[in-house]
Amino acid sequence: MEKRKVIFSGMQPSGSLTLGNYLGALKNWVSLQSEYDSYYCVVDMHAITVPKEPKDLRRNTLEVLANYIAAGLDPEQVTLFIQSHVPAHAELAWILNCFSYYGELSRMTQFKDKSKKQDSNAITAGLFTYPVLMAADILLYQADLVPVGEDQRQHLEITRDIAQRFNNRFSETFTVPEAYISKDVAKIMSLQDPNSKMSKSDSNENAYILLMDKPDVIRRKFKRSVTDSVGVVNYTDEQPGIKNLINIYSKITNKQPEEIAGEYQGKGYAELKEDVAEVVIEELKPIQEKIDYLLKNKDYLEKIYIEGAQKAEIAAQKTLRKVKRKVGFISR
Ligand code: AMP
Ligand code: TRP
């Protein structure tokens, strides 16, 4: 039998997941799970690159795992695990740090954005080398494909550069992975500023919809979403707020954006906002019920992440052993 291609991806437990995480990434993961050998990780080590309360980190880590399962990832089919449970990630990250350059890391837009938001004395070395840990995550599993949102494209590029550099310096060691970014709507934007992405770390909670938000909260946030003064529903870059609402609608219903815009000719923005809120509420309802159930059944979650780490460990060690031998470490 031909070997199945490998997928690796992960999300940070930096808060509860948003509609952006779900529509931009998680929904794709679910549709890919039966065709690939898949690893989906909760990247808690990435989450501590910015200040994080320990009790929040613990809660969010389990929440993200519950979100993965509730959104439809099947633990029987895919490997679900927590990054810090597999020490090979930290070990490979160190080695790859020694094959990554200050210059290329300085050019990462996510680093530039995140470090701008902090006092320069609070920018950690961890935040700077974040993409190297991400490269280690991916390369350990010899992943062919990495399904992520558009914002991670640059991190995938540096992962490929690091892999190729290592392969050239020694010999073929890592599979050079490809980013898998859904073509239709790769980015869900903030409801308060349609020119920046919807993010759970936004200081304004009206900017994002959380997967766990209650129906009345979802209605309120859409109602307050920022649009424009054109007054006509069009699917165009000139009206980014409306475009984002249509994108959300389209992602959930699988209707074409232009078709949706057509249906709202002669109607006001309020109606579009109300309808988008209702489709989102319907889509999230079964997911929310499952999340509640899972978070009340911590033993089940524990069983999933323990088994997941055991499976991941085997694949990760295979690569790590090879890497250590190539760089010249003595095995014991
Ligand atoms: P993060 O929340 O930054 O850990 O992101 C986890 C995954 O969700 C990554 O693949 C991101 O690219 C994706 N993602 C996060 N926010 C959005 C968004 N607003 N639109 C689309 N994808 C997103
Ligand atoms: N940096 C990614 C994000 O913020 C999360 C991540 C860490 C990741 N390691 C990864 C994504 C490996 C894909 C593969 O979204």
Side-chain angles (χ1 to χ4, degrees):
M1 207 178 84
E2 210 185 318
K3 193 176 166 295
R4 291 209 301 175
K5 289 205 168 189
V6 178
I7 279 191
F8 184 97
S9 197
M11 291 194 195
Q12 296 187 65
S14 47
S16 304
L17 297 189
T18 68
L19 190 63
N21 294 130
Y22 175 67
L23 296 179
L26 205 41
K27 230 170 132 69
N28 287 335
W29 298 4
V30 173
S31 63
L32 294 167
Q33 68 180 338
S34 57
E35 292 163 57
Y36 295 85
D37 194 2
S38 322
Y39 295 86
Y40 289 111
C41 183
V42 183
V43 292
D44 54 348
M45 287 155 62
H46 278 103
I48 63 165
T49 54
V50 292
K52 185 81 191 156
E53 275 304 319
K55 68 172 190 334
D56 293 342
L57 181 58
R58 264 189 291 273
R59 193 188 66 246
N60 292 151
T61 300
L62 285 184
E63 275 175 10
V64 172
L65 184 66
N67 278 254
Y68 283 1
I69 301 168
L73 287 179
D74 173 6
E76 300 285 318
Q77 284 196 60
V78 306
T79 305
L80 298 174
F81 70 105
I82 297 171
Q83 188 185 31
S84 64
H85 288 176
V86 182
H89 291 245
E91 291 186 70
L92 182 61
W94 176 257
I95 296 172
L96 296 182
N97 266 321
C98 303
F99 294 88
S100 305
Y101 296 111
Y102 176 82
E104 61 186 351
L105 290 172
S106 308
R107 286 193 292 275
M108 294 292 117
T109 40
Q110 184 172 307
F111 172 72
K112 287 195 269 185
D113 290 348
K114 284 195 180 176
S115 53
K116 239 186 274 160
K117 290 184 191 149
Q118 316 233 1
D119 180 332
S120 66
N121 291 319
I123 302 166
T124 67
L127 187 63
F128 188 63
T129 64
Y130 174 119
V132 184
L133 177 59
M134 178 160 164
D137 296 341
I138 297 167
L139 300 179
L140 268 179
Y141 300 91
Q142 306 290 354
D144 298 283
L145 223 55
V146 184
V148 283
E150 178 65 40
D151 60 326
Q152 296 299 312
R153 190 185 288 280
Q154 203 186 23
H155 288 161
L156 256 297
E157 284 303 317
I158 196 173
T159 300
R160 290 166 58 87
D161 290 344
I162 295 169
Q164 274 157 349
R165 189 176 301 146
F166 194 97
N167 288 349
N168 290 341
R169 168 71 180 79
F170 300 100
S171 56
E172 217 44 48
T173 309
F174 296 122
T175 301
V176 179
E178 307 249 356
Y180 179 95
I181 298 173
S182 83
K183 278 178 285 313
D184 40 348
V185 191
K187 210 168 179 185
I188 302 298
M189 309 310 280
S190 154
L191 298 184
Q192 291 296 313
D193 169 14
N195 294 310
S196 65
K197 81 160 186 170
M198 180 182 285
S199 163
K200 54 197 174 237
S201 54
D202 205 302
S203 55
N204 180 352
E205 61 175 35
N206 285 323
Y208 50 74
I209 303 284
L210 295 178
L211 290 194
M212 316 254 260
D213 277 345
K214 298 266 179 289
D216 50 333
V217 175
I218 296 178
R219 285 190 195 102
R220 194 183 66 229
K221 288 180 177 176
F222 276 112
K223 201 169 176 181
R224 292 189 186 160
S225 66
V226 170
T227 49
D228 54 65
S229 55
V230 176
V232 180
V233 175
N234 291 308
Y235 187 70
T236 148
D237 290 340
E238 319 292 288
Q239 293 174 252
I242 293 295
K243 183 174 182 189
N244 189 38
L245 293 178
I246 296 177
N247 278 339
I248 293 171
Y249 199 127
S250 162
K251 261 290 207 190
I252 293 178
T253 59
N254 290 323
K255 274 194 204 171
Q256 289 305 313
E258 291 75 14
E259 186 189 337
I260 297 169
E263 287 170 11
Y264 284 87
Q265 291 319 299
K267 297 182 186 171
Y269 290 177
E271 203 166 336
L272 174 65
K273 289 179 177 182
E274 279 164 25
D275 292 351
V276 175
E278 293 314 313
V279 251
V280 170
I281 290 167
E282 274 310 299
E283 174 86 1
L284 295 186
K285 194 167 163 232
I287 299 178
Q288 296 187 337
E289 285 167 3
K290 188 130 196 232
I291 294 174
D292 280 346
Y293 172 80
L294 290 166
L295 290 175
K296 286 190 194 116
N297 287 275
K298 298 260 162 58
D299 290 353
Y300 173 72
L301 288 178
E302 188 179 340
K303 177 173 161 283
I304 300 295
Y305 68 65
I306 290 177
E307 286 178 7
Q310 284 165 348
K311 274 199 262 168
E313 179 90 50
I314 295 169
Q317 278 301 335
K318 204 167 147 202
T319 303
L320 187 63
R321 271 197 302 275
K322 218 182 334 173
V323 169
K324 286 182 171 174
R325 187 162 31 89
K326 296 208 183 186
V327 299
F329 293 169
I330 293 174
S331 60
R332 66 175 165 95

